[in-house]
Amino acid sequence: MRVTLSRLKEKGVTDQDITELIKGERQRVSRLKVTSDLQLLLVDYRAEIKLEPLHRAIYLLFLRHPEGIRYKELPDYREELAAIYHSMKRNTQARKKVERSIIDVTDPLCHSIIEKCGRINSIIRHTIPIDVAGEYMIQGEKGEIRRISLDRNLLVWENERG
């Protein structure tokens, strides 16, 4: 048991999460609200998934595609991802740097998307109760479709576009 607890802590699981797991208290899955300025709010937890703009743009892209996306198909989504990212970045960053970031993250030969999704999932694990975090994470097997499994009935888009 001590080895298991030690491994969980190494992976970033908090003492509170471990206590909840031991008690058998299962958190219910919160509604996720995407605000008009593209913030990610966990309505029922009264929390926010705080992501850097590029990470948030990637997350929103996956939210928009419940069917999932294969990493090798990301070039097909480059324009959509760029539009999401540009709507957040406006004039705060050099245009060439934004374009380079989008190209890197949608290049299936570059590991940028793997790193970004890993970072997104890490932030989610530290924001959301451990027993429901998987509902919000971008998951899938190597070479297969990656998706966010959150029930889309729990997803609320503040603007009608989604």
Side-chain angles (χ1 to χ4, degrees):
M1 175 104 170
R2 287 184 189 186
V3 173
T4 302
L5 289 174
S6 184
R7 286 184 182 156
L8 286 171
K9 288 182 179 182
E10 286 174 17
K11 299 236 184 234
V13 177
T14 66
D15 288 336
Q16 179 183 353
D17 291 334
I18 292 169
T19 302
E20 288 175 7
L21 285 172
I22 292 170
K23 285 182 182 178
E25 295 177 8
R26 173 117 172 108
Q27 290 282 336
R28 72 182 184 119
V29 179
S30 173
R31 291 168 288 160
L32 177 61
K33 180 179 186 177
V34 180
T35 65
S36 59
D37 61 347
L38 304 179
Q39 299 302 307
L40 302 165
L41 305 179
L42 297 158
V43 178
D44 302 307
Y45 302 153
R46 296 183 184 178
E48 178 181 355
I49 301 174
K50 295 181 181 181
L51 300 171
E52 303 270 333
L54 181 57
H55 294 90
R56 195 166 3 123
I58 293 165
Y59 193 77
L60 290 166
L61 178 69
F62 278 90
L63 278 178
R64 287 181 172 184
H65 294 278
E67 73 283 2
I69 301 170
R70 282 187 175 83
Y71 286 165
K72 68 180 183 180
E73 297 168 349
L74 280 169
D76 298 339
Y77 296 88
R78 188 171 285 156
E79 287 182 27
E80 183 178 355
L81 181 61
I84 297 167
Y85 190 45
H86 283 292
S87 71
M88 284 184 272
K89 293 305 287 179
R90 309 252 181 221
N91 298 321
T92 62
Q93 199 173 42
R95 185 169 188 79
K96 286 192 185 274
K97 187 173 180 184
V98 169
E99 289 170 8
R100 180 80 251 159
S101 295
I102 296 297
I103 290 168
D104 287 347
V105 86
T106 56
D107 181 349
L109 301 177
C110 183
H111 288 92
S112 181
I113 188 64
I114 295 167
E115 295 166 4
K116 302 293 186 279
C117 287
R119 180 70 183 134
I120 291 165
N121 289 342
S122 175
I123 290 169
I124 288 170
R125 278 192 300 273
H126 288 92
T127 305
I128 298 171
I130 192 78
D131 54 340
V132 294
E135 297 291 323
Y136 300 90
M137 293 167 53
I138 299 170
Q139 298 184 68
E141 296 298 318
K142 184 176 182 179
E144 297 299 320
I145 292 173
R146 304 291 175 127
R147 67 171 52 98
I148 299 169
S149 63
L150 181 68
D151 178 347
R152 292 314 193 261
N153 291 321
L154 296 172
L155 181 59
V156 179
W157 295 91
E158 200 168 78
N159 68 7
E160 68 285 340
R161 166 69 171 89

